[in-house]
Amino acid sequence: MNSPPPPVADLTWPPEAQRWPPVFPPVCACAWGDDRFGLWMDVVIGGPVQRFRWIEPGEFVMGSPEGEAEREEREGPQHVVRLTEGFWLAETACSQGVWESVMGSNPSRFKDDPQNPVEQVSWDDVQGFLREVEKRVPGVKADLPTEAEWEYACRAGSETAFSWGDGIDPSQANYRAKDSYAGSPIGEWRQTTVAVKSFDPNAWGLYQMHGNVWEWCADGPRDYDGASQVDPRGAEGKAPRAARGGSWNAHPFRLRAACHDGLWGVRAHFLGFRFSLR
């Protein structure tokens, strides 16, 4: 019996007028512009400046194809997701410097550089941080991306296991590089976090969507059934939350764009976040 054809996203959607922010620059921006990655703005968060990238609405195919190396069953079936609203996403995971400027302390294990990502923060800890950001940046809603928004931003138009292709090596991300993925080369396992801009960004200007620290999402992981979705959200309330992207101590297959799992409100030295403004 022949398998059904893979789902296909409508890359002509949305109409041109819906692609752009409703206001540009937003009132919270201290600097802004348009470069090869798209629209960006800088916002003062406490003391440090955080750059955000505009993630425009669009459609993409979520999940992994059956032939992807080391995929897990819960990553399928693939399905088309339409995101109807754009959002500003931090181009990096939240650094220790940004966290400490807002919260007044640094819970991280790896404190050798304030540009390392903050870790050892629970999902509830992050909610406290977001509410404090809103007090310092009036007129915005600070949030985590949903799991669907996270994968859309991570893929940045790609359909491969990683945003750059179907293989991985230690020059591209921070992970358990003594282990190989699908025949990819092995190398140094750093066994620590590194600064949030240590590797090249993806096609939308986002750094380290793969590796370094797992990133909390706003919602819990969904069960996929192959049906197309519009602005999907997983479980909320008293439920596990999705964590995406892999980390410095994760096996390379865990860094794939489609890899998803749920965690309860733990604090761990491999777990951080990046946030959005809306």
Side-chain angles (χ1 to χ4, degrees):
M1 185 175 181
N2 293 331
S3 299
V8 178
D10 180 1
L11 300 182
T12 67
W13 191 89
E16 185 70 15
Q18 292 179 229
R19 293 176 54 199
W20 310 110
V23 177
F24 186 75
V27 294
C28 60
C30 65
W32 55 87
D34 188 1
D35 60 18
R36 64 190 179 95
F37 300 116
L39 297 179
W40 59 269
M41 70 169 177
D42 288 343
V43 180
V44 176
I45 307 290
V49 173
Q50 174 68 60
R51 178 158 293 186
F52 293 83
R53 294 283 174 179
W54 175 247
I55 308 300
E56 66 181 53
E59 285 192 359
F60 77 110
V61 176
M62 190 169 182
S64 62
E66 292 184 5
E68 187 167 290
E70 299 188 50
R71 83 186 286 265
E72 298 176 300
E73 192 66 25
R74 60 175 173 251
E75 298 166 15
Q78 286 186 296
H79 55 289
V80 172
V81 168
R82 173 175 289 190
L83 299 174
T84 62
E85 295 186 8
F87 56 99
W88 291 98
L89 185 62
E91 70 173 8
T92 67
C94 181
S95 70
Q96 294 173 29
V98 169
W99 178 277
E100 188 165 7
S101 74
V102 172
M103 303 300 283
S105 62
N106 182 0
S108 304
R109 173 178 174 180
F110 302 111
K111 297 182 179 179
D112 55 302
D113 185 341
Q115 287 303 304
N116 285 2
V118 69
E119 13 90 7
Q120 300 198 134
V121 289
S122 70
W123 191 88
D124 286 336
D125 293 337
V126 174
Q127 300 311 300
F129 169 88
L130 296 173
R131 303 293 78 78
E132 289 296 322
V133 167
E134 289 172 344
K135 294 176 184 177
R136 289 164 169 75
V137 188
V140 303
K141 176 176 173 54
D143 206 350
L144 293 172
T146 66
E147 189 178 28
E149 290 171 341
W150 191 97
E151 185 171 328
Y152 176 65
C154 174
R155 289 188 176 280
S158 68
E159 297 181 355
T160 46
F162 308 94
S163 61
W164 54 75
D166 285 317
I168 186 173
D169 69 63
S171 70
Q172 296 169 308
N174 183 25
Y175 63 100
R176 189 183 178 95
K178 69 176 184 177
D179 299 329
S180 177
Y181 172 76
S184 296
I186 61 173
E188 177 192 3
W189 179 23
R190 298 174 179 88
Q191 302 188 60
T192 183
T193 59
V194 296
V196 293
K197 289 188 178 182
S198 294
F199 301 94
D200 291 337
N202 69 12
W204 290 349
L206 303 171
Y207 290 86
Q208 295 194 83
M209 297 293 284
H210 304 281
N212 213 22
V213 287
W214 289 93
E215 298 182 4
W216 284 116
C217 295
D219 56 341
R222 291 183 295 114
D223 292 328
Y224 304 161
D225 61 9
S228 297
Q229 301 287 327
V230 177
D231 298 326
R233 293 187 75 97
E236 300 183 70
K238 293 184 177 180
R241 303 292 169 159
R244 287 298 201 111
S247 70
W248 62 269
N249 70 343
H251 298 284
F253 82 94
R254 301 286 278 165
L255 274 66
R256 292 172 302 112
C259 183
H260 77 144
D261 209 346
L263 294 171
W264 291 93
V266 299
R267 298 183 180 96
H269 53 287
F270 51 76
L271 186 55
F273 70 102
R274 80 178 64 214
F275 66 105
S276 66
L277 298 179
R278 302 169 194 252

